[in-house]
Amino acid sequence: MQEARLLERAIGEAGRLVAVEPFGEGCIARFTVDAGENAGEWFVDTSRQAVPRETGFVVRGAEGLVARIWRHPLDPRLPALRTAVDPVKLARIAAAAGTSGEIEARVLAYRPGRRAVVRLTQHGVHLFVKVVRPSEAESLVDIHDACRAANVPAPEVVHWSPAGIVVVPDAAGTAGPVAAARTSPGALLDAVDDLRERFLAVDTTRIARASVGTRLEWHLERIAAALPDRRGEVAELLPALAPHVRRIGPPRSVHGDLHIGQLFFTGPRVSSVIDVDTAGLGDPADDAAAFVGHALASAARNAAAGRDDDAAVLEGIATEAGERWLRDPHATALTSLHLLAHGIRAAERSPEAAHRLVDRARELVRDRVRR
């Protein structure tokens, strides 16, 4: 793999590949180095996109920039990240705000070059720091406000900084995966349907997260590389999916990455929806596909790990959601592609789950796209 060779060239170690995401003209690959002076997480960026300031190694070739390589948390596009995960700096900020005591900082999500979510805990109280590119902080505040104005229960922003920081409190309600185990699929999806309708009323000009369909060939190439024995089967999906992945109709306001892990429930309603960083004008079918694809991917991971009860709950939700939302080849093709994207991430840690996801993607194409 090119990115592993580039990392080895920079630090003398190839590391262990953890994840890879498309970015610009190439990708950003995440590696773990387990021991020695270079222990930690490293990132290799082959996007060739400019950054405000270099924070690591730069590899150049005859035609210019080849890659940039940095060590977490020195993401050149997210300069606030290094402060958000530094307990010493956080303690100083808290002291200036009039509070004291140890602060625990835990990174809950990180998409290199795009955003991170850091949970801060002090005296048992949680705050969530969203770290974004400085140019995007105000837009993120605006989409939170626009969601709330449309009765979409996004968290209220309690602080933000143009340096790329947006702070929100803990979500209200029962976490989606817990609620799913206590609620029938039909009742849970009624609540999600209601939420999706409210999203359509959000007044924004912001663009939602790019559709998975915009990187069809990239995802197929990556899953084929991760599971080389399935290369022939994966290749067969390109002509089946390509005619159906482009958006149908005008853009509408959507979440952009809707799944059960983003939702909290109180009674029969969604009481909080998090990570609206991805929200904006996009394709409603992407929300449907993301939700079904995530449920099936989580079910596959649980089944591979022997957690059959959890897998069954998620399968039930995915089946009901599919009957409701995957009624045309467009939404179904996007769902199949979401499954392959999850398979790329699963291949390193759970090849069994990755194979299950390829199987499910092919089943969707056979039963719902080609029919």
Side-chain angles (χ1 to χ4, degrees):
M1 182 181 186
Q2 176 194 8
E3 292 82 11
R5 292 193 297 271
L6 289 168
L7 180 61
E8 186 171 17
R9 174 178 168 184
I11 68 172
E13 300 182 63
R16 176 172 53 84
L17 179 65
V18 175
V20 60
E21 288 196 36
F23 200 98
E25 297 179 22
C27 66
I28 299 180
R30 181 190 307 215
F31 295 87
T32 295
V33 175
D34 294 322
E37 62 180 0
N38 292 320
E41 286 193 313
W42 288 85
F43 298 84
V44 179
D45 173 2
T46 57
S47 69
R48 300 179 185 266
Q49 292 188 345
V51 299
R53 184 172 67 87
E54 300 293 355
T55 57
F57 299 97
V58 177
V59 181
R60 300 187 186 277
E63 299 181 359
L65 178 70
V66 174
R68 53 177 51 89
I69 300 165
W70 72 85
R71 188 179 191 171
H72 181 73
L74 302 180
D75 189 320
R77 296 180 182 84
L78 304 179
L81 181 59
R82 67 200 71 177
T83 297
V85 298
D86 187 328
V88 174
K89 291 182 179 179
L90 290 172
R92 290 173 183 166
I93 294 171
T99 65
S100 61
E102 181 179 355
I103 298 178
E104 177 191 358
R106 181 181 177 187
V107 179
L108 299 182
Y110 176 40
R111 297 191 71 205
R114 293 181 171 92
R115 68 184 186 97
V117 179
V118 182
R119 185 182 68 192
L120 304 183
T121 305
Q122 186 180 44
H123 305 305
V125 176
H126 299 314
L127 287 175
F128 294 84
V129 178
K130 295 177 178 288
V131 182
V132 297
R133 299 178 191 181
S135 61
E136 296 175 357
E138 187 170 7
S139 171
L140 181 52
V141 175
D142 290 344
I143 194 63
H144 273 79
D145 291 345
C147 285
R148 293 175 64 83
N151 200 29
V152 171
E156 181 180 6
V157 174
V158 297
H159 172 75
W160 76 279
S161 163
I165 291 284
V166 176
V167 183
V168 298
D170 217 343
T174 301
V178 177
R182 304 172 179 171
T183 310
S184 70
L188 184 138
L189 291 171
D190 286 345
V192 179
D193 271 327
D194 175 68
L195 177 70
R196 294 184 67 202
E197 284 294 321
R198 283 183 273 163
F199 258 110
L200 295 176
V202 173
D203 183 12
T204 182
T205 58
R206 193 173 190 261
I207 303 302
R209 176 179 173 177
S211 168
V212 69
T214 63
R215 300 300 293 263
L216 170 62
E217 293 186 1
W218 186 92
H219 284 97
L220 294 178
E221 289 169 2
R222 287 289 174 171
I223 191 64
L227 302 174
D229 56 324
R230 308 295 297 270
R231 185 175 295 276
E233 295 167 294
V234 170
E236 293 174 357
L237 295 175
L238 179 59
L241 294 175
H244 303 294
V245 294
R246 292 186 179 180
R247 187 179 70 228
I248 299 172
R252 304 288 304 276
S253 295
V254 297
H255 181 279
D257 187 27
L258 188 67
H259 60 78
I260 193 69
Q262 309 282 33
L263 306 179
F264 293 76
F265 294 80
T266 298
R269 290 176 63 83
V270 175
S271 52
S272 290
V273 54
I274 63 174
D275 286 352
V276 297
D277 317 38
T278 54
L281 296 175
D283 184 353
D286 266 310
D287 272 357
F291 191 96
V292 178
H294 189 279
L296 289 173
S298 297
R301 288 192 295 269
N302 277 291
R307 296 187 291 269
D308 294 337
D309 289 346
D310 292 336
V313 169
L314 292 161
E315 282 280 355
I317 292 170
T319 298
E320 173 73 17
E323 291 300 318
R324 293 189 184 207
W325 303 334
L326 306 187
R327 295 181 176 178
D328 59 68
H330 173 57
T332 307
L334 290 174
T335 304
S336 179
L337 195 49
H338 269 283
L339 290 172
L340 297 176
H342 282 286
I344 296 168
R345 292 189 285 271
E348 178 70 21
R349 298 181 181 179
S350 177
E352 180 184 346
H355 282 288
R356 287 174 185 260
L357 293 172
V358 172
D359 290 339
R360 294 304 294 268
R362 295 181 70 240
E363 288 171 11
L364 283 176
V365 169
R366 181 194 66 208
D367 297 340
R368 291 175 176 263
V369 175
R370 286 180 170 148
R371 67 183 182 182

